[in-house]
């Protein structure tokens, strides 16, 4: 199997934002190369006690994305055929847009062909069970320890879809969902990915959940994670399509049906999503947003208020922000 590798030279501070941005155009499974020392938690998750001293952190980072190459030399991205030049141009456009409001360093792209990269599975050696407050998150390839069997456990296998729970934006959403969840909660998860937020809501007692996503890979990932967590098929269904622009998707999801709508998406997507999603919320329903880099907080707040929603809480973790609002 052949893959086309797109390698971006950037800076450490821009890693998360670039990965999230390029995920939205269909590039997934980012490989990160930098000289940032591991934290104590990261060493614990990797089962590493002592590492040799590495080179000093120079702030430079390389991000690599792999796209499968077909027999005819074309590439498949988001279910459509394209070529390496078109992908490189799209990446460059996204990087230049980011450069308008943040430092991204050199922002150069190199493209190379490689073979037999099992990038879907190789990263598993670095993803181990961890806690989000009192919730244990454990991947499908690890066993629950005897001492943890009485804990609330979320079994998650992100597969090829985004979302393990390790990222700050996901954790911000999880905490907000738990605050507002009841046994009668109908929840809509926009950009559901691996299904982690909707599945977690059901584990904590939500009545029903619906997910939407642009990536067809999310369907299989969600199905696997539902099975791993014992979620019955009737409790959670999802659809593929663009909720912002596709009236058929909006109709399928339904109007004024949801007590909670959660969207862990970039600010630039939340802005056009919000005036649409307000129609899916019940009166009194709660809108939980995340994926917002700190310097975009005001932009999202303004979009939420312009849609007629009332901001009721803003929470922070690292450089990321979650804005929660209510439909009066």
């Amino acid at each position: 199997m052949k893959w086309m590798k797109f390698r971006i030279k950037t800076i450490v501070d821009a890693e998360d934002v670039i990965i999230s941005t390029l995920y939205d155009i269909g590039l997934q499974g980012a490989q990160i190369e930098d000289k940032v020392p591991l934290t104590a938690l990261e060493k614990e998750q990797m089962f590493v006690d002592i590492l040799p001293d590495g080179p000093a952190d120079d702030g430079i980072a390389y991000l690599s994305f792999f796209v499968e190459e077909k027999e005819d030399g074309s590439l498949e991205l988001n279910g459509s055929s394209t070529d390496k030049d078109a992908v490189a141009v799209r990446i460059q456009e996204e990087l230049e847009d980011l450069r308008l409001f943040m430092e991204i360093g050199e922002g150069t792209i190199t493209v190379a062909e490689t073979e037999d990269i099992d990038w879907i599975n190789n990263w598993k050696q670095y993803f181990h069970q961890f806690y989000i407050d009192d919730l244990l998150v454990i991947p499908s390839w690890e066993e629950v320890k005897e001492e943890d069997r009485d804990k609330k456990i979320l079994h998650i296998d992100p597969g090829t879809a985004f979302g393990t729970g390790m990222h700050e934006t996901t954790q911000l959403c999880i905490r907000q969902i738990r605050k507002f969840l009841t046994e009668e909660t109908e929840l809509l998860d926009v950009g559901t990915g691996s299904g982690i937020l909707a599945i977690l809501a059901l584990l904590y007692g939500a009545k029903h959940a619906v997910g939407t996503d642009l990536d067809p890979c999310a369907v299989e990932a969600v199905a696997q994670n539902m099975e791993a967590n014992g979620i019955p098929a009737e409790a959670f269904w999802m659809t593929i399509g663009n909720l912002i622009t596709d009236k058929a998707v909006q109709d399928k999801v339904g109007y004024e049906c949801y007590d909670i709508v959660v969207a862990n998406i970039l600010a630039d997507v939340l802005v056009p999503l919000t005036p649409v999603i307000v129609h899916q919320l019940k009166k009194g329903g709660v809108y939980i947003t995340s994926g917002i880099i700190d310097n975009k907080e005001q932009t999202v707040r303004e979009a939420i208020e312009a849609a007629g929603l009332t901001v009721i809480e803003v929470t922070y973790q690292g450089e990321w922000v979650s804005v929660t609002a209510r439909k009066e």
Side-chain angles (χ1 to χ4, degrees):
M1 184 177 294
K2 292 183 178 180
W3 303 82
M4 199 61 66
K5 177 181 178 181
F6 298 87
R7 191 169 187 254
I8 302 163
K9 185 177 182 181
T10 181
I11 58 175
V12 170
D13 289 344
E15 287 175 354
D16 284 343
V17 178
I18 291 176
I19 290 171
S20 296
T21 299
L22 296 186
Y23 168 77
D24 284 345
I25 67 170
L27 292 169
Q28 302 174 8
Q31 180 185 82
I32 303 172
E33 303 168 63
D34 58 34
K35 298 172 184 174
V36 178
L38 293 175
T39 65
L41 177 59
E42 288 169 334
K43 291 178 182 179
E44 179 181 340
Q45 290 171 345
M46 294 170 65
F47 298 112
V48 175
D49 295 321
I50 301 173
L51 287 174
D53 291 335
D57 179 18
D58 57 6
I60 301 298
Y62 293 89
L63 306 177
S64 296
F65 299 84
F66 299 86
V67 182
E68 185 176 350
E69 185 177 4
K70 298 180 180 179
E71 290 184 3
D72 62 2
S74 66
L75 307 180
E76 184 170 340
L77 196 65
N78 275 345
S80 301
S81 291
T82 184
D83 58 55
K84 65 179 181 180
D85 293 334
V87 175
V89 168
R90 183 68 190 279
I91 293 172
Q92 195 67 65
E93 290 173 348
E94 296 293 336
L95 293 176
E96 294 309 312
D97 285 346
L98 289 175
R99 199 188 294 277
L100 294 175
F101 67 87
M102 66 179 293
E103 177 60 42
I104 66 167
E106 192 171 301
T108 53
I109 306 166
T110 57
V111 183
E113 188 179 72
T114 185
E115 294 190 36
D116 298 326
I117 299 295
D118 189 12
W119 60 272
I120 293 177
N121 291 304
N122 285 346
W123 61 272
K124 290 181 178 180
Q125 63 186 302
Y126 303 114
F127 178 41
H128 300 289
Q129 55 189 282
F130 64 99
Y131 276 98
I132 302 174
D133 302 328
D134 59 346
L135 171 71
L136 176 63
V137 181
I138 185 167
S140 61
W141 53 90
E142 288 193 0
E143 295 290 332
V144 178
K145 299 174 184 176
E146 189 61 37
E147 61 268 26
D148 290 328
R149 293 192 180 277
D150 60 341
K151 305 249 187 345
K152 179 66 76 175
I153 299 172
L154 174 67
H155 299 270
I156 198 76
D157 184 352
T160 59
F162 200 65
T164 63
M166 294 189 75
H167 199 275
E168 290 96 331
T169 61
T170 310
Q171 295 182 23
L172 285 165
C173 286
I174 288 171
R175 294 188 180 102
Q176 293 304 99
I177 288 171
R178 292 181 65 180
K179 285 181 186 178
F180 296 99
L181 190 72
T182 73
E183 292 181 355
E184 296 302 313
T185 293
E186 294 277 349
L187 180 137
L188 173 62
D189 182 9
V190 183
T192 195
S194 61
I196 182 172
L197 296 177
I199 290 171
L200 178 92
L202 292 166
L203 289 177
Y204 276 105
K207 184 178 181 180
H208 185 258
V210 173
T212 72
D213 206 281
L214 298 176
D215 186 354
C217 293
V219 175
E220 183 178 354
V222 166
Q224 291 174 350
N225 289 325
M226 286 176 63
E227 182 178 358
N229 289 280
I231 302 297
E234 62 271 16
F236 178 21
W237 63 266
M238 67 169 297
T239 186
I240 298 298
N242 192 327
L243 188 64
I244 299 174
T245 60
D246 193 334
K247 181 67 163 51
V249 176
Q250 296 169 14
D251 291 344
K252 185 175 182 180
V253 167
Y255 302 97
E256 294 198 342
C257 300
Y258 301 97
D259 304 282
I260 295 176
V261 174
V262 59
N264 183 18
I265 310 176
L266 290 176
D268 289 344
V269 182
L270 289 170
V271 170
L273 172 67
T274 299
V276 174
I277 209 67
V278 70
H279 301 293
Q280 270 70 44
L281 271 170
K282 292 179 180 178
K283 292 180 175 65
V286 173
Y287 180 41
I288 299 170
T289 69
S290 192
I292 308 162
I293 196 71
D294 49 15
N295 61 13
K296 288 281 190 174
E297 175 187 340
Q298 189 59 32
T299 300
V300 175
R301 288 185 66 127
E302 289 172 359
I304 287 172
E305 291 166 351
L309 302 174
T310 302
V311 175
I312 57 176
E313 189 172 9
V314 182
T315 54
Y316 305 88
Q317 188 170 340
E319 61 185 347
W320 298 96
V321 183
S322 171
V323 180
T324 301
R326 190 185 301 279
K327 181 177 179 179
E328 302 298 346

